[in-house]
Amino acid sequence: MNQTTSLRERLYVIIFEADTPAGKAFDVALLVAIVGSVLAVVLESVPGIAERYGALLRVLEWTFTVLFTAEYLLRVMCVGRPGRYVFSFFGLVDLLAVMPTYLSLFLPGSQSLAVVRVMRLVRVFRVLKLARFLGEATHLGASLRSSVPKITVFLVVVVSLVVVVGALLHFIEGAEHGFTSIPRGIYWAIVTITTVGYGDVSPQTPLGQIIASVLMICGYAIIAVPTGIVAAEIAHHPKPNPTTRVCRECLCEGHEATAGYCKACGAALRPRREPR
Amino acid sequence: MNQTTSLRERLYVIIFEADTPAGKAFDVALLVAIVGSVLAVVLESVPGIAERYGALLRVLEWTFTVLFTAEYLLRVMCVGRPGRYVFSFFGLVDLLAVMPTYLSLFLPGSQSLAVVRVMRLVRVFRVLKLARFLGEATHLGASLRSSVPKITVFLVVVVSLVVVVGALLHFIEGAEHGFTSIPRGIYWAIVTITTVGYGDVSPQTPLGQIIASVLMICGYAIIAVPTGIVAAEIAHHPKPNPTTRVCRECLCEGHEATAGYCKACGAALRPRREPR
Amino acid sequence: MNQTTSLRERLYVIIFEADTPAGKAFDVALLVAIVGSVLAVVLESVPGIAERYGALLRVLEWTFTVLFTAEYLLRVMCVGRPGRYVFSFFGLVDLLAVMPTYLSLFLPGSQSLAVVRVMRLVRVFRVLKLARFLGEATHLGASLRSSVPKITVFLVVVVSLVVVVGALLHFIEGAEHGFTSIPRGIYWAIVTITTVGYGDVSPQTPLGQIIASVLMICGYAIIAVPTGIVAAEIAHHPKPNPTTRVCRECLCEGHEATAGYCKACGAALRPRREPR
Amino acid sequence: MNQTTSLRERLYVIIFEADTPAGKAFDVALLVAIVGSVLAVVLESVPGIAERYGALLRVLEWTFTVLFTAEYLLRVMCVGRPGRYVFSFFGLVDLLAVMPTYLSLFLPGSQSLAVVRVMRLVRVFRVLKLARFLGEATHLGASLRSSVPKITVFLVVVVSLVVVVGALLHFIEGAEHGFTSIPRGIYWAIVTITTVGYGDVSPQTPLGQIIASVLMICGYAIIAVPTGIVAAEIAHHPKPNPTTRVCRECLCEGHEATAGYCKACGAALRPRREPR
């Protein structure tokens, strides 16, 4: 029993942390596997490549899927509270990453959704330069989180504007100029205000073009708003300096180097090992 | 008579404020009705849906319109100075929100303008998280207001540039390349400087393309100006902390939690009730 | 002779300053004339309108041109050093504003260049809210001027990038995909990096699309650079508070309310009159 | 032998520094040659010009190439540690700048790659206004370097998003609407999120357009992130004030006016001469 606990603990350190050599090696291998499996899925979708190397890519994809499934089960086994991991953001991503391949047995074509694996790449920050990048990501995340209320206000205004202008152009231009319905008008207004401008729908009447011009200048001017919000928040937030340690009980991340207990659930943290 | 005053006052608190449970419930119901009525108008404009569910959507739209009309009359009745409400921004929006449906009896198709109701959504800030979002909106509004003079200077320069370049390309490219008139050249210049770039009109001659390139790089560089202005203003403004109370006399909003009298007209404010 | 001097001085105050009622009235009239004459030129270029109202618009344009010519001569007469005014920025704009109409007698169609008059609109800041806007414009100008060296560094990098990538895509895609020459490749690269994206030329080969993708993400990321530069400069510059007084000798603008002598040439300034 | 050393040293000062009159003259001549040779390559690619002036342009290009080759050999000869120069950034650019012309003897068309010479233009900063611009470039470079970790985090998130959305639209829209493979879907997603919007591929199904709308609004909002990062970094960095002196041993640049020894390798620097 002591043996098992020790094995579980050793597995835990390897899989969830990156401060030890074994943990680092595991993360690098995982990284390679993620990039490889995403590449396999992407290349399989290209007609010319699928014809020639289809069988090989299919084998690769199944190999990676089986490996990721095994890794997922190991993660569930060695964490303190499995339920918390399974329903955490990364737990759901890890599960979603293996589903499409199994699903493709019943629904051909759905394996292309396996690219969701690319979201596992955010683990890369724990490998390359480790704590440095994690600290920047934490800082960026905190700045963005505190921008959320202002950005929400901004987006509600933008959405209202887009709905009103979209309906207005549907009324002015009508179906013969491509504005077949209000949703299509809204789609056009979003394409315009975000300055994307595909050109698949564009106003033809003078009045429509005047309104479009005003909308473009608005879009050009109001892009300043979210930028200003985020710039002000980033400038005012203090930079944290976390390690890559993870709480064994609740999987909370971002503990400071000097922390002895989890800041979220109070469980004792493992002492920090200096990376060699 | 005392009974009537008390009823008016109770109605007032429910309709115009959101700090009491009844006021909150009213605002949530209003929110649902607004979203529902906008959805009904939007869906009715889609040919496929209109054929199948047209009758149902038409009934829904009339129901919402009658409800909003009743609400508008109640608002006029229970406010201290009705004239001020009727000609305030929200009073005009509330009136505009019910007009298109009645208008559609005489001018078919005009009911699509009823989406102007979506502008009533800004009331949502008084419901969700209440004062927090209102405070952010006030802060954002104050920052933007103090950016207005600089942004005006900027827009006058942009408009002058766009008119000159638009006329120049009308002169260089001529009607055979799509620049049929100066207004069309100005429309093209706006599409270009705002980086929208539909591609419905684009220069064909080498000289036209050189001028267009310079205009694009200008547009790319000068978008920095409004952004810099707004970022600097947001960073320098102190954050206010208002409640959702409204002055009964002049409908001025954004009073601080400790305020006893309206900051705009000096009338006594109702004491603040803690939201339960 | 004393009479003449006095007339010249009175003319000077009316034409070049906006702090007195007469000076203000002159500027408002000028503003209306500028907008009117630009509108006349713009409308004349629209085929439908030109057919019906061509004669009227032509008369209007000539009237405005004669008025502007008279105004230009008055300006030259009443300023201390005419040579300085004639070769100053506004002097050149004022001259350019009347040339196209006279030129159109010899070169039909060139009257559309008369829209350059719109640049005279920047005088509007001296009329509306006067010193307030002039102060903002001065502040904005000073911030942008001190951004010039960094922006230049930035633009040299962008131009180098655009030339290299344009030549690369000419080499990869070739004439059959629209990249007929290096200048055309550079034009495409500018359209792409500035995120305008007309779509009149776009890469068709996989390698070309990969390079285009990298270029787009670069363009998306490096637009942050000028914005950051300008935002930092605006935030650090102190706001000036100038009047609309102009030095009679050298036409230098932007003197502070307390200034007694021109900051550029040392000539005595006229005492400031409070606008009524 | 003393003569040779003295010649080498004199050459060194002329070629690598710009604080002396001879060094400045050399840099201006080099600048003119770079612009001239790039123009020759660019113009040769235009069909109409190539037919008429092809022979002349070809001669010009070979002249410039021979000159640049001689300059490259001189540089290698007079620097303290040639190996360091050859493998430095500018050493590689200088070599790359002469290769394509020689390569075009074996692979026709490859001379268009000679525009890589334009990258040598960054030397222009050492000529015009000298230290001022170098200081700004150093400041900008330092600000951008310290933005790198946050920008990397940001780019990994953007790339993940683009891969997932690209695969999703390939799944939803399919080959009949132009989304023939996942790479093409990713290409479309990059074109959209960066707000370039060529319109060569665009979603046709309602679900695809809804996802595209969300992606555009995301792209519109998240462009705020790199801008905010860079603005905050530029605002916080102190401005350096370097000269154009270069360490003779290791070619390190950007030494302060008061520096006596190379900050990178400790070798004694040549005393600074005041530019006349």
Side-chain angles (χ1 to χ4, degrees), chain C residues 161-171 179 181-182 184-189, chain D residues 115:
Chain C
L161 189 64
V162 148
V163 170
V164 172
V165 173
L168 202 62
L169 261 101
H170 167 63
F171 185 66
F179 292 80
S181 63
I182 294 184
R184 199 153 179 87
I186 294 172
Y187 170 70
W188 168 84
Chain D
V115 295

Side-chain angles (χ1 to χ4, degrees), chain A residues 149-150 152-153 160 164 167 171 181-183 188 192 195-199 202 209 213 216-217 220 223-224 227-229, chain B residues 42 45-46 110 112 115 118 125 132 136 139-140 155 184 187 190-191 193-198 200 219 222-223 226-227 231:
Chain A
K150 272 208 196 66
T152 306
V153 172
S160 304
V164 172
F171 184 66
S181 63
I182 294 183
W188 168 84
T192 297
T195 78
V196 170
Y198 286 135
S202 65
Q209 293 187 339
S213 299
M216 284 175 223
I217 290 181
Y220 191 56
I223 197 164
T227 307
I229 294 167
Chain B
V42 166
S45 78
V46 183
S110 62
S112 69
V115 295
V118 83
F125 299 127
R132 173 84 192 282
E136 296 288 351
H139 183 206
L140 204 53
L155 282 182
R184 199 155 178 86
Y187 170 71
I190 292 175
V191 167
I193 206 175
T194 57
T195 78
V196 170
Y198 286 135
D200 49 355
I222 65 182
I223 198 167
T227 306

Side-chain angles (χ1 to χ4, degrees), chain D residues 190-204:
Chain D
I190 292 175
V191 167
T192 298
I193 206 174
T194 57
T195 77
V196 171
Y198 286 136
D200 49 355
V201 194
S202 66
Q204 308 295 325

Side-chain angles (χ1 to χ4, degrees), chain B residues 6 23 69 127 131 164 175 177 200 208 231 255:
Chain B
S6 156
T69 311
V127 182
V164 171
H177 294 150
D200 49 355
H255 301 289

Side-chain angles (χ1 to χ4, degrees), chain D residues 139-173:
Chain D
H139 183 204
L140 203 54
S143 304
L144 292 184
R145 239 188 320 283
S146 65
S147 311
V148 162
K150 272 207 195 68
I151 297 278
T152 307
V153 172
F154 172 74
L155 282 182
V156 170
V157 172
V158 167
V159 167
S160 304
L161 188 64
V162 147
V163 170
V164 171
V165 174
L168 201 62
L169 262 102
H170 167 63
F171 185 66
I172 292 171
E173 298 275 330

Side-chain angles (χ1 to χ4, degrees), chain C residues 251-263:
Chain C
L251 288 171
C252 156
E253 288 201 348
H255 301 289
E256 294 284 322
T258 55
Y261 296 89
C262 174
K263 60 185 176 182

